[in-house]
Amino acid sequence: MPYYHDGSVTIYHGDCLDVMPLLSGISLVFTSPPYNQNLQAFKMSGMHKETQWVNRISSSYYDTMPEDEYQEWQIRVLNAAWNCCADDASVFYNHKLRWRDSVPIFPVTWLLKTQWVMRQEIVWLRDGSVTQNARMFPPCDERIYWMRKNRWKWTRHDGTWMSVWKIKSAANTEHPVAFPEELPMRAIACCSDVDDVVLDPFGGSGTVCKAAKELGRKSIMIEKEEKYCEIAAKRMAQEVLF
């Protein structure tokens, strides 16, 4: 039973691994999962901006899992997405480089173990960094991994979007780690058609659904935290604000 439905957007409150087996015919997946930040082991430098960042994430998704369990979970999620997607579907997976005991962990470590075929790595160049304590050049980028199924749609490209996307971070007070709407809009515009169904298995405050609706696509989001389902539902219902 959907938490919210308006004919264009459907919101499910639940675990994506429980909901995705009920879906089919998805044309595009755009998602950004919890990053398993391991904040309990994070050593803050005392900088005000960095402390704010840790506090904001802690208030939303305090995800501290053993790294091997986290990666296995992500593989299961992506394979479940494969099973509910159309044969020409793409998935855009936003993640970033993390470190454990000074060893970098690249998302491709687990992405190459899924059923999806890697198509391209896109660099999201953000506006600044909040990580200032690691005695390295502060990271100001994340990655969007475009993966495809057996075929893939390529419906629009005017030559202005290349493989580095310089887009400012989202100023979202309702969700502490929301990404900007332009990220999913670019993927949806280029790799889906009007009336196709777009899925976000980690829906958050509904940014992917909002972008899909503006582009004339249908969308489904799944979110485990009910407070974010409520925020997203209100956001979808307030069409005058779009």
Side-chain angles (χ1 to χ4, degrees), residues 62-95:
Y62 197 87
D63 53 322
T64 301
M65 300 171 62
E67 183 61 26
D68 59 340
E69 292 182 17
Y70 173 77
Q71 293 185 21
E72 181 59 34
W73 173 47
Q74 289 300 292
I75 292 169
R76 293 203 315 271
V77 168
L78 286 165
N79 285 342
W82 169 281
N83 291 333
C84 70
C85 277
D87 196 51
D88 57 356
S90 290
V91 58
F92 289 81
Y93 182 87
N94 171 221
H95 215 293

Side-chain angles (χ1 to χ4, degrees), residues 57-225:
I57 294 177
S58 297
S59 68
S60 58
Y61 295 110
Y62 197 87
D63 53 322
T64 301
M65 300 171 62
E67 183 61 26
D68 59 340
E69 292 182 17
Y70 173 77
Q71 293 185 21
E72 181 59 34
W73 173 47
Q74 289 300 292
I75 292 169
R76 293 203 315 271
V77 168
L78 286 165
N79 285 342
W82 169 281
N83 291 333
C84 70
C85 277
D87 196 51
D88 57 356
S90 290
V91 58
F92 289 81
Y93 182 87
N94 171 221
H95 215 293
K96 70 176 185 178
L97 175 64
R98 297 166 298 131
W99 283 262
R100 293 290 183 272
D101 299 321
S102 300
V103 176
I105 300 175
F106 297 88
V108 291
T109 302
W110 62 89
L111 295 180
L112 293 177
K113 296 178 183 178
T114 72
Q115 293 174 275
W116 294 92
V117 178
M118 188 67 66
R119 175 64 179 160
Q120 190 173 21
E121 181 185 63
I122 298 164
V123 177
W124 172 22
L125 180 59
R126 304 174 58 138
D127 49 334
S129 177
V130 293
T131 305
Q132 307 285 340
N133 72 326
R135 291 186 294 176
M136 64 172 62
F137 301 106
C140 62
D141 63 290
E142 295 189 16
R143 295 296 188 272
I144 301 172
Y145 297 94
W146 174 17
M147 297 174 287
R148 50 114 175 149
K149 208 167 181 183
N150 300 321
R151 298 176 288 113
W152 66 95
K153 290 186 178 181
W154 183 246
T155 56
R156 173 198 178 275
H157 187 35
D158 58 11
T160 59
W161 298 336
M162 298 191 181
S163 59
V164 177
W165 295 357
K166 188 176 182 179
I167 301 173
K168 290 185 178 181
S169 303
N172 188 321
T173 59
E174 296 179 311
H175 194 290
V177 289
F179 49 75
E181 187 180 336
E182 189 174 349
L183 286 183
M185 286 194 77
R186 291 188 181 189
I188 293 166
C190 289
C191 295
S192 70
D193 291 310
V194 172
D195 290 330
D196 278 351
V197 181
V198 177
L199 170 67
D200 184 355
F202 299 101
S205 59
T207 300
V208 171
C209 288
K210 185 174 182 293
K213 194 168 188 177
E214 290 185 354
L215 292 171
R217 277 66 166 172
K218 296 180 174 62
S219 63
I220 299 171
M221 66 165 269
I222 308 166
E223 174 53 49
K224 201 171 184 178
E225 297 287 341

Side-chain angles (χ1 to χ4, degrees), residues 22-37:
L22 308 176
L23 307 178
S24 63
I26 303 299
S27 295
L28 185 142
V29 177
F30 192 104
T31 197
S32 183
Y35 287 170
N36 200 35
Q37 297 280 10

Side-chain angles (χ1 to χ4, degrees), residues 222-235:
I222 308 166
E223 174 53 49
K224 201 171 184 178
E225 297 287 341
E226 187 172 7
K227 63 180 179 180
Y228 295 127
C229 290
E230 183 177 356
I231 289 170
K234 289 180 179 178
R235 193 176 180 188

